[in-house]
Amino acid sequence: MTEEVAIIGVGYTAASPVTPEVSYREMIYEAAVKAYQDAHVKPKDIKSFVCLSEDFHEGTSIFDEYVPDQLGAVLKPVHTVTGDGIHGLIEATMHIQTGLMDVVAVEAHSKASNILTPFHIMAFATDPVYNQPLKMHPYYIAGLEMNRFLLETGNTREHCAMVVQKNRQNALDNPVAAYGAQVAPDDVLQSRPLFAPLSKLDTSLHADGAVVMVLASAKRARELSDHPIWVKGIGWCSDSPSLENRDWAQAVYARLAGDAAYRMAGIRNPREEIDLAEIDDTFSYKELQHMEALRLCREGEAGLLLEEGTADLDGDLPINPSGGTLGTGFLYEASGLYRVLELVLQLRGEAGKRQLAHVNTGLAFSWRGIPTTSGAAIVVSNN
Amino acid sequence: MGIKLTERPQAQASGMETLEFKGTALSDEEFKGGKVVTVSGAPNAQYGWDAGVAIGRFLHELKEGRLIGTFCRSCNRIMVPPRMFCEWCFRNTDEWAPLKDTGVVNTFSLCYVTWDMKRLKEPEMPAVIEIDGASPGMGIMHLLGEVDPKKVQIGMKVRAVWKPADEREGAITDIKYFKPM
Ligand SMILES: [Zn+2]
């Protein structure tokens, strides 16, 4: 990268199915205070604030107007990106690389529990002419994709069930995760079919939470932080939105976003050079699909990695040691920041009971969820 | 052939020349009558926003017929509506601050149309009321009532007119309006 950028502070609230005790402002404030403390900065040191939100998820039009107070960003440059949290990190990285800003904060949150009609909102994101009149629960899109993905790659429902088992188990050791549980593959296979082949336990559950991260230029990072986590590569990509013509088997958006990030980071062999990966697993099969797209294994071999235990905490390439979205919860725009949060904690050696040994380089990848074909990738390193 | 912005055609005293436009003219009736193909739909978007600490207490106090703010020791402001953190000092606020239900009109407008643009003979009168006991510039957004629109002034002293206790529900509308003192 032209100008080096590092993540120098993280602040977060634990993901939770409901958070009636705090307003979204109070929840974000908690994450911001912790992030600034962690980064040894005051709001006055932060030159720009990047937020992630969707008006329909908040229930307020032009929601980006409501973010300055709780971030200490009153009368500061503030803007919102409609995308996942990793898109926000990418935006902040580019802000710093312009040379105009040396310290930038990124914020994303979820008050999923406040959305009373979440699947209506989600369905409202499908095409109003071709798709909405069919009046389907929008998760049918995951069912369609899972079916085609399994057929073309040879991965199986059993492999998907192993993803659920691994991630919910990992979440048990993550105090930030809302849905830690011991789930046997059979429990997944026997759970209620929802959008077959997708079953209830293949599906992540919503959670509330907020994450704030502080990024800085190399100079400021070295001044402020004892353990900067360097942004080595970034990439993001959107496929055509059409349900009628999209590639239902492969996550092409993930392939291209990942390749861009690897190229920038100088990574030629991700399987060997990435020590841990936090990648989207909003639905069980998505983890397998994204593993293959992100070249963490060969096509059709994601399930094999699960069978061999390679993706486990004590495996050669741990995937979603945090518990992923299945274990942490689906947190809308904040999902990607919870993935990166785990990388930061692991690469600093602060991951507690689930701390991995000998990890230096991590990959995070987020998907924007149903019905999108957008993803963002980031490679970070502790050296 | 385009027209340069600096050379706009001027209407002549003798009347404008007739301009011919390409295309097909469509009337309002033709749109409404379905002659123009459109696809209609509406979102089903419903929310239950968590009030949290600050808003929760504010609404509770409204139900009791009272206004409350919070105090920041650092900038010495008493803020209303209350918040659990000061957006200037970026620190937790220190105390709850009970306030009066009187104040001063900071600014107002006389609105002769409703939100959906229906004419009103008697205007609606939104106003920002700086609440007595709170710091200058700290007010709540509400309506004025029991006052001749011609007599409303910036700086006017006003008092809250509350709904009866058994009709209050913990909402900003527990105050019906503010009227001159
Ligand atoms: Zn203050």
Side-chain angles (χ1 to χ4, degrees):
Chain A
M1 296 218 299
T2 46
E3 157 86 53
E4 282 201 294
V5 175
I7 299 169
I8 62 164
V10 291
Y12 50 92
T13 67
S16 174
V18 293
T19 51
E21 68 281 5
V22 282
S23 66
Y24 73 82
R25 291 185 178 93
E26 291 156 1
M27 191 174 74
I28 294 169
Y29 174 73
E30 179 188 336
V33 168
K34 289 175 174 171
Y36 302 167
Q37 164 96 2
D38 189 41
H40 305 114
V41 294
K42 297 256 183 287
K44 67 173 168 47
D45 302 318
I46 301 170
K47 303 297 166 37
S48 160
F49 297 80
V50 179
C51 301
L52 291 298
S53 65
E54 294 279 352
D55 292 355
F56 270 112
H57 298 161
E58 309 298 335
T60 305
S61 299
I62 323 182
F63 179 79
D64 35 318
E65 288 295 307
Y66 289 85
V67 299
D69 289 11
Q70 56 270 21
L71 291 172
V74 175
L75 296 177
K76 288 288 196 65
V78 179
H79 78 286
T80 288
V81 182
T82 53
D84 175 83
I86 295 180
H87 288 100
L89 294 177
I90 290 169
E91 187 89 355
T93 300
M94 294 190 292
H95 274 206
I96 293 166
Q97 290 184 324
T98 64
L100 291 171
M101 329 283 194
D102 57 3
V103 181
V104 178
V106 176
E107 179 275 332
H109 65 278
S110 161
K111 267 286 189 181
S113 68
N114 290 189
I115 310 174
L116 304 182
T117 53
F119 300 110
H120 289 269
I121 301 290
M122 195 175 276
F124 200 57
T126 61
D127 187 280
V129 177
Y130 301 125
N131 309 142
Q132 284 182 35
L134 300 176
K135 295 194 186 302
M136 295 281 297
H137 187 298
Y139 277 13
Y140 74 88
I141 294 167
L144 296 174
E145 188 176 50
M146 183 176 182
N147 207 12
R148 188 80 202 184
F149 167 72
L150 294 184
L151 176 80
E152 286 200 22
T153 61
N155 289 299
T156 63
R157 276 201 67 209
E158 285 74 14
H159 292 132
C160 297
M162 291 168 77
V163 170
V164 179
Q165 178 187 35
K166 168 177 70 70
N167 292 0
R168 304 237 3 217
Q169 174 72 38
N170 289 353
L172 280 173
D173 281 335
N174 182 0
V176 170
Y179 297 107
Q182 289 185 336
V183 178
D186 249 4
D187 298 336
V188 182
L189 297 172
Q190 304 296 329
S191 72
R192 253 184 305 144
L194 293 183
F195 309 90
L198 191 79
S199 77
K200 185 165 185 284
L201 287 178
D202 285 308
T203 306
S204 59
L205 299 167
H206 287 136
D208 297 353
V211 182
V212 173
M213 293 195 179
V214 180
L215 287 80
S217 64
K219 181 172 172 293
R220 293 293 278 150
R222 293 199 176 92
E223 286 168 6
L224 292 164
S225 177
D226 300 328
H227 42 218
I229 300 300
W230 300 97
V231 177
K232 296 291 186 179
I234 51 179
W236 67 106
C237 184
S238 295
D239 202 344
S240 160
S242 160
L243 293 181
E244 290 74 11
N245 317 109
R246 67 170 60 173
D247 186 330
W248 285 102
Q250 308 296 338
V252 184
Y253 58 91
R255 167 61 54 90
L256 297 179
D259 281 356
Y262 294 146
R263 207 177 308 122
M264 196 179 289
I267 288 177
R268 289 164 184 276
N269 184 350
R271 173 70 182 79
E272 294 304 319
E273 295 173 63
I274 298 290
D275 298 323
L276 77 158
E278 283 277 325
I279 62 177
D280 176 82
D281 60 329
T282 299
F283 303 101
S284 58
Y285 74 92
K286 288 302 266 185
E287 178 170 304
L288 303 173
Q289 189 192 38
H290 288 145
M291 280 167 69
E292 297 185 3
L294 293 163
R295 303 184 194 275
L296 300 178
C297 60
R298 283 203 292 269
E299 271 149 46
E301 293 186 357
L304 212 62
L305 255 67
L306 268 289
E307 283 179 32
E308 291 168 349
T310 307
D312 291 348
L313 285 183
D314 57 358
D316 194 35
L317 175 54
I319 294 179
N320 287 321
S322 70
T325 292
L326 286 164
T328 307
F330 177 73
L331 288 115
Y332 287 101
E333 293 78 25
S335 292
L337 290 192
Y338 278 94
R339 300 286 73 71
V340 177
L341 170 66
E342 179 69 5
L343 296 185
V344 170
L345 297 178
Q346 289 283 358
L347 297 176
R348 284 180 180 180
E350 295 175 0
K353 276 176 85 175
R354 55 188 199 292
Q355 180 64 50
L356 306 167
H358 314 301
V359 284
N360 297 305
T361 301
L363 164 75
F365 177 79
S366 61
W367 168 52
R368 249 183 119 188
I370 299 276
T372 81
T373 47
S374 291
I378 186 167
V379 175
V380 294
S381 172
N382 56 13
N383 57 38
Chain B
M1 210 173 69
I3 298 168
K4 285 184 188 163
L5 284 176
T6 48
E7 295 167 15
R8 289 184 182 185
Q10 299 293 312
Q12 300 300 312
S14 56
M16 302 235 305
E17 61 177 310
T18 311
L19 297 174
E20 298 241 356
F21 295 101
K22 288 183 180 171
T24 308
L26 285 168
S27 68
D28 201 28
E29 282 69 35
E30 283 168 311
F31 275 98
K32 285 177 183 161
K35 286 200 168 178
V36 181
V37 178
T38 58
V39 180
S40 58
N44 177 5
Q46 294 175 50
Y47 306 89
W49 298 287
D50 291 324
V53 184
I55 300 171
R57 175 76 187 266
F58 184 65
L59 296 178
H60 176 76
E61 294 290 334
L62 284 174
K63 197 166 193 294
E64 302 299 317
R66 298 189 293 253
L67 291 175
I68 196 160
T70 45
F71 172 61
C72 172
R73 190 178 295 134
S74 175
C75 61
N76 213 27
R77 287 190 306 166
I78 294 176
M79 298 175 279
V80 66
R83 39 265 210 186
M84 298 322 291
F85 54 87
C86 174
E87 75 278 11
W88 283 9
C89 308
F90 204 65
R91 59 186 291 281
N92 294 355
T93 46
D94 298 285
E95 281 173 50
W96 294 101
L99 304 171
K100 294 183 179 163
D101 67 349
T102 57
V104 172
V105 173
N106 174 307
T107 184
F108 69 95
S109 174
L110 303 179
C111 300
Y112 289 94
V113 286
T114 59
W115 68 271
D116 55 351
M117 297 302 282
K118 291 205 178 74
R119 264 260 166 245
L120 287 172
K121 271 196 169 161
E122 290 297 318
E124 292 176 317
M125 295 176 282
V128 175
I129 319 293
E130 291 190 20
I131 298 299
D132 289 336
S135 295
M138 284 289 159
I140 66 175
M141 177 62 233
H142 221 290
L143 300 169
L144 298 173
E146 290 186 51
V147 58
D148 182 344
K150 292 192 201 71
K151 302 225 165 110
V152 179
Q153 287 182 340
I154 287 174
M156 190 169 76
K157 289 281 292 172
V158 292
R159 173 187 299 282
V161 177
W162 295 87
K163 282 183 181 168
D166 59 350
E167 289 177 24
R168 293 201 290 261
E169 52 188 3
I172 193 73
T173 46
D174 289 348
I175 296 174
K176 290 201 281 190
Y177 48 78
F178 284 77
K179 69 170 187 182
M181 286 170 73

